[in-house]
Amino acid sequence: MTDALLPATPEPLEKENDGYFRKGCNPLAQTGRSKLQNQRAALNQQILKAVRMRTGAENLLKVATNPKVREQARLELSFVNSDLQILKEELEGLNISLGVYQNTEEAFTIPLIPLGLKETKDVDFSVVLKDFILEHYSEDGYLYEDEIADLMDLRQACRTPSRDEAGVELLMTYFIQLGFVESRFFPPTRQMGLLFTWYDSLTGVPVSQQNLLLEKASVLFNTGALYTQIGTRCNRQTQAGLESAIDAFQRASGVLNYLKETFTHTPSYDMSPAMLSVLVKMMLAQAQESVFEKISLPGIRNEFFMLVKVAQEAAKVGEVYQQLHAAMSQAPVKENIPYSWASLACVKAHHYAALAHYFTAILLIDHQVKPGTDVDHQEKCLSQLYDHMPEGLTPLATLKNGQQRRQLGKSHLRRAVTHHEESVREASLCKKLRSIEVLQKVLSAAQERSRLTYAQHQEDDDLLNLIDAPDVLAKTEQEVEIILPQFSKLTVTDFFQKLGPLSVFSANKRWTPPRSIHFTAEEGDLGFTLRGNAPVQVHFLDPYCSAAVAGAREGDYIVSIQLVDCKWLTVSEVMKLLKSFGEDEIEMKVVSLLDSTSSMHNKCATYSVGMQKTYSMICLAIEDGDKTDKTKKISKKLSFLSWGTKNRQKSASTLCLPSVGVARPQIKKKLPSPFSLLNSDSSLY
């Protein structure tokens, strides 16, 4: 099972035994991305240690009364806070390590921002799932060792997904598989004793919960993060590469948006609704930037209509980055968003606004109206270039008046130079951005081009005669949009399908232990009919037939006949199997569905109008519900949860299979301890 964790190369992943899942990348491979993830994991551990020390110092400061002890606690708290700030800056440095995730081809383009994968701790499903299979499904948990191992291998492989579509498929497969696992093994009325821990990708602070919702949300986040890494890895020097980048960023925004709308109370800050909204905006902004690069890739011809189109595309990119920077500057996001991300958004907003003014200036200065020019078309394009023309100017008059065109064009050049200067200044204020050489080259080259063009057309009286150039109206021929994840296109096999159809054999339903019914078909008549579709139910049972006398009841589910598993067989298949025995004795095992509401109250505390009920209120409710059942014998039964917490380290279950035979009377559950009720972990979802 474990060789799925160490494939020879991170090539497209092969399936095992016609298996259920693909392999992950080699976690020991010394690639740039693996080194970065290893550094992230080490930083997470240091941050966890510092957070614990800070908590201890804060608690000491609260309870201490001795002045010397309080002063020592303050010094310790100050030291730990400064240490945490340093660690946070190191983590921010990893988050802005753009070169690791960019395409290896030399490119004179501004880097894009990828998201790092969330780190997690190992989880051992074996003991808990085996015990639950034995207790709830009345089957031997050892028969499902391979399935449990497959589940654990799949989770381990998802920690190092390959940076391609196969990696995305791996994560989405695990996400869908978690849905099956949640339905089969995680009843809504109790905790299973499994602790899932994930580290915040932005702050490094660990978050732990005992339900699968944190696990599912974190896997979705990593799916979106992997899409961003795929997008930044695309070769942006080709049309196909840019189209792939656009698609990847749109899909990343779709996954993150789905996460925001589906998991609304995530305890991890990087998955909070406010942060996810900003991340969705960032992915769409980078997709729009890739659209601009795709249009500009063949070369920008010095032609009037082409320059109008490119200017508006650049204005669109600048507009979305300006909106992104504004969102990053709002509380509470600005407290935890990497400063380098916000700085880069501001740099790009000014850079693309400058490009929009530069191309507008070129189309006004270089393209005079000549005989044969389509003046009407140019007038329409110029009128659509602005929200409103400068005061005293009209599109047609400006086109025909060479002096007005030059003056308006130089006004745009002056604004382009101003925006370029602002983008260079913002980049110089951030230490991380100063170290990105390609970014500095792109900004300097664009600034120098606008400055030289302005110097060529500058005149002495420009400061007196130049008008204020209006903003270029943002417009695009390809509006980027969110692409939601399409889970239905992925076929995933439930690891634990041997337990039976999920519609019946799930964690939130209860039934009797399997009962053996020995009967014979008298003169070919079974004494009952069948209904349903996997699993089949006994229907229209003759109370005097052999099966009824042996203990069969109408509505029973047939799980096996003569040791043949029937949980997935249809009515016709079960009937054919029964008739094949003729008048020989038939051994049929059945189960009866129970009312699950009778034992719900002893699983967890309830809530009323936002306030938790007291333990005495719960006891009263239980007593009222049991008044009509006082004559039944009460037997103490060891709580499965108590057993699981005391024997978590054991590899095998010591629970016994329930006896098979006559249906046992329903037994009242032991009244839970008040401490187990009041101290139970409540879900944050």
Side-chain angles (χ1 to χ4, degrees):
M1 293 295 175
T2 54
D3 38 33
L5 307 181
L6 299 172
T9 61
E11 295 291 328
L13 316 166
E14 62 182 61
K15 294 189 177 179
E16 178 182 340
N17 298 335
D18 287 331
Y20 306 110
F21 60 92
R22 299 173 181 267
K23 299 176 182 178
C25 290
N26 184 353
L28 303 180
Q30 293 300 305
T31 62
R33 189 177 69 136
S34 66
K35 291 179 181 178
L36 205 63
Q37 285 298 124
N38 290 336
Q39 294 176 29
R40 185 186 298 275
L43 269 179
N44 287 337
Q45 294 300 322
Q46 295 179 47
I47 290 173
L48 174 59
K49 180 180 177 181
V51 167
R52 288 174 175 172
M53 292 179 64
R54 183 176 67 179
T55 302
E58 289 174 345
N59 292 337
L60 180 61
L61 189 61
K62 289 178 182 179
V63 301
T65 57
N66 189 302
K68 291 185 178 180
V69 175
R70 290 180 62 84
E71 183 63 24
Q72 186 67 27
R74 289 193 185 95
L75 289 175
E76 183 68 22
L77 192 59
S78 175
F79 171 77
V80 172
N81 283 332
S82 63
D83 192 25
L84 269 174
Q85 185 62 32
I86 294 173
L87 293 174
K88 183 179 177 181
E89 290 176 0
E90 290 184 26
L91 186 60
E92 180 184 337
L94 297 183
N95 287 329
I96 199 63
S97 298
L98 304 179
V100 175
Y101 296 104
Q102 308 301 311
N103 186 267
T104 54
E105 299 289 336
E106 290 292 332
F108 196 66
T109 55
I110 299 180
L112 301 172
I113 300 176
L115 298 178
L117 300 179
K118 291 170 69 71
E119 292 287 337
T120 183
K121 290 183 177 180
D122 292 333
V123 176
D124 187 0
F125 290 95
S126 57
V127 174
V128 173
L129 295 193
K130 285 179 185 178
D131 290 343
F132 192 82
I133 290 172
L134 189 58
E135 180 210 25
H136 190 76
Y137 293 99
S138 301
E139 294 192 34
D140 191 349
Y142 286 103
L143 299 176
Y144 293 86
E145 283 186 334
D146 289 345
E147 288 79 0
I148 295 173
D150 283 343
L151 177 64
M152 294 174 64
D153 283 351
L154 177 57
R155 185 182 193 274
Q156 188 68 15
C158 286
R159 298 176 69 175
T160 56
S162 58
R163 193 166 36 165
D164 50 25
E165 286 297 328
V168 173
E169 182 180 336
L170 178 71
L171 289 171
M172 294 180 73
T173 297
Y174 181 54
F175 177 78
I176 297 173
Q177 196 68 240
L178 285 175
F180 294 136
V181 172
E182 184 177 28
S183 298
R184 290 200 185 273
F185 300 107
F186 286 79
T189 54
R190 82 180 194 194
Q191 302 290 353
M192 290 298 296
L194 286 172
L195 190 65
F196 300 95
T197 300
W198 288 83
Y199 292 89
D200 192 301
S201 65
L202 301 180
T203 65
V205 177
V207 175
S208 300
Q209 279 195 348
Q210 293 191 39
N211 58 56
L212 277 179
L213 294 178
L214 175 62
E215 180 89 348
K216 293 168 70 176
S218 299
V219 172
L220 273 181
F221 183 92
N222 277 0
T223 305
L226 192 60
Y227 268 126
T228 68
Q229 295 179 14
I230 293 173
T232 55
R233 191 188 189 187
C234 293
N235 185 359
R236 292 154 62 196
Q237 300 303 302
T238 64
Q239 287 283 88
L242 285 168
E243 289 174 358
S244 298
I246 295 169
D247 181 72
F249 285 121
Q250 290 181 122
R251 292 186 183 278
S253 65
V255 172
L256 296 174
N257 191 69
Y258 177 83
L259 173 60
K260 181 188 70 172
E261 294 180 352
T262 307
F263 301 89
T264 56
H265 297 89
T266 48
S268 182
Y269 189 78
D270 56 356
M271 296 189 293
S272 64
M275 180 59 73
L276 288 174
S277 296
V278 170
L279 295 180
V280 170
K281 288 180 182 292
M282 186 169 73
M283 296 309 123
L284 291 177
Q286 295 188 139
Q288 196 66 58
E289 183 179 4
S290 300
V291 170
F292 173 80
E293 291 179 348
K294 187 180 75 169
I295 294 173
S296 307
L297 184 63
I300 302 174
R301 302 187 307 276
N302 193 356
E303 187 266 329
F304 185 89
F305 303 111
M306 180 66 181
L307 291 172
V308 170
K309 175 182 176 181
V310 173
Q312 291 189 312
E313 289 284 353
K316 179 65 177 180
V317 179
E319 180 184 73
V320 294
Y321 271 113
Q322 182 61 41
Q323 295 170 355
L324 173 62
H325 180 257
M328 288 180 170
S329 303
Q330 299 293 323
V333 175
K334 67 177 181 180
E335 301 297 331
N336 289 289
I337 199 80
Y339 174 69
S340 50
W341 290 8
S343 298
L344 186 58
C346 184
V347 166
K348 289 188 176 184
H350 286 292
H351 174 71
Y352 284 102
L355 292 183
H357 286 288
Y358 173 79
F359 291 124
T360 303
I362 297 302
L363 73 88
L364 288 170
I365 294 174
D366 289 359
H367 295 278
Q368 306 294 333
V369 176
K370 298 177 181 179
T373 302
D374 190 350
V375 179
D376 292 337
H377 194 185
Q378 285 194 5
E379 179 188 8
K380 180 180 179 181
C381 288
L382 187 61
S383 63
Q384 294 176 349
L385 190 61
Y386 305 116
D387 188 26
H388 60 276
M389 289 289 292
E391 186 177 356
L393 299 182
T394 61
L396 184 59
T398 303
L399 287 172
K400 292 183 177 181
N401 190 320
Q403 181 65 21
Q404 287 185 4
R405 288 176 67 130
R406 284 191 297 273
Q407 292 296 329
L408 184 57
K410 285 189 286 184
S411 297
H412 280 289
L413 280 175
R414 188 170 63 179
R415 288 201 62 181
V417 171
T418 301
H419 278 295
H420 280 308
E421 290 174 348
E422 190 63 22
S423 67
V424 172
R425 186 186 71 84
E426 284 288 341
S428 65
L429 293 177
C430 179
K431 178 182 177 181
K432 303 299 180 183
L433 297 187
R434 288 199 303 268
S435 63
I436 303 176
E437 186 178 353
V438 66
L439 175 63
Q440 299 297 328
K441 289 182 179 180
V442 171
L443 297 180
S444 299
Q447 181 186 24
E448 189 65 19
R449 181 180 62 180
S450 295
R451 185 179 295 167
L452 289 175
T453 306
Y454 181 65
Q456 291 175 1
H457 299 88
Q458 188 177 13
E459 298 176 0
D460 295 337
D461 58 347
D462 279 348
L463 293 177
L464 300 175
N465 297 331
L466 289 184
I467 57 179
D468 290 333
D471 292 332
V472 179
L473 198 62
K475 186 179 179 181
T476 179
E477 67 175 18
Q478 183 179 345
E479 192 80 38
V480 296
E481 57 186 11
I482 291 173
I483 299 179
L484 294 175
Q486 298 175 326
F487 300 109
S488 59
K489 289 188 175 182
L490 196 62
T491 302
V492 178
T493 303
D494 180 7
F495 284 159
F496 300 93
Q497 62 178 345
K498 287 195 304 184
L499 290 172
L502 196 55
S503 59
V504 175
F505 298 97
S506 62
N508 61 353
K509 292 186 178 181
R510 299 173 59 250
W511 48 87
T512 62
R515 310 190 310 276
S516 291
I517 309 297
H518 296 269
F519 69 100
T520 57
E522 300 172 357
E523 298 180 356
D525 183 13
L526 296 173
F528 58 86
T529 60
L530 303 176
R531 70 172 181 180
N533 185 19
V536 172
Q537 285 181 281
V538 175
H539 191 48
F540 290 132
L541 178 66
D542 183 354
Y544 301 104
C545 71
S546 175
V549 173
R553 295 197 293 262
E554 191 166 326
D556 282 348
Y557 289 97
I558 301 176
V559 295
S560 69
I561 299 174
Q562 298 288 84
L563 302 181
V564 177
D565 194 320
C566 298
K567 291 193 285 288
W568 285 98
L569 298 185
T570 62
V571 170
S572 58
E573 291 170 335
V574 172
M575 186 62 71
K576 181 179 179 181
L577 181 61
L578 287 171
K579 290 184 177 180
S580 66
F581 296 103
E583 295 186 359
D584 296 337
E585 184 180 78
I586 302 173
E587 181 186 5
M588 180 174 69
K589 288 189 177 181
V590 298
V591 296
S592 301
L593 203 61
L594 298 176
D595 181 12
S596 58
T597 58
S598 60
S599 61
M600 290 282 185
H601 54 251
N602 68 339
K603 296 296 184 182
C604 65
T606 57
Y607 293 82
S608 177
V609 197
M611 182 179 296
Q612 191 173 10
K613 289 185 177 181
T614 63
Y615 180 69
S616 59
M617 293 171 66
I618 298 172
C619 293
L620 289 174
I622 296 173
E623 291 174 2
D624 291 341
D626 292 343
K627 284 181 180 179
T628 60
D629 202 21
K630 290 182 178 179
T631 58
K632 290 187 178 179
K633 181 179 178 181
I634 301 176
S635 62
K636 294 185 178 180
K637 182 179 178 181
L638 179 63
S639 169
F640 170 70
L641 286 179
S642 300
W643 182 91
T645 55
K646 293 180 181 178
N647 299 272
R648 189 172 297 165
Q649 302 302 323
K650 294 185 179 180
S651 61
S653 170
T654 57
L655 294 175
C656 298
L657 279 168
S659 60
V660 178
V662 182
R664 297 158 61 185
Q666 190 173 355
I667 300 175
K668 291 186 187 177
K669 300 292 183 180
K670 180 182 176 181
L671 196 63
S673 164
F675 301 104
S676 65
L677 281 172
L678 299 180
N679 294 333
S680 62
D681 294 332
S682 60
S683 171
L684 294 179
Y685 289 87

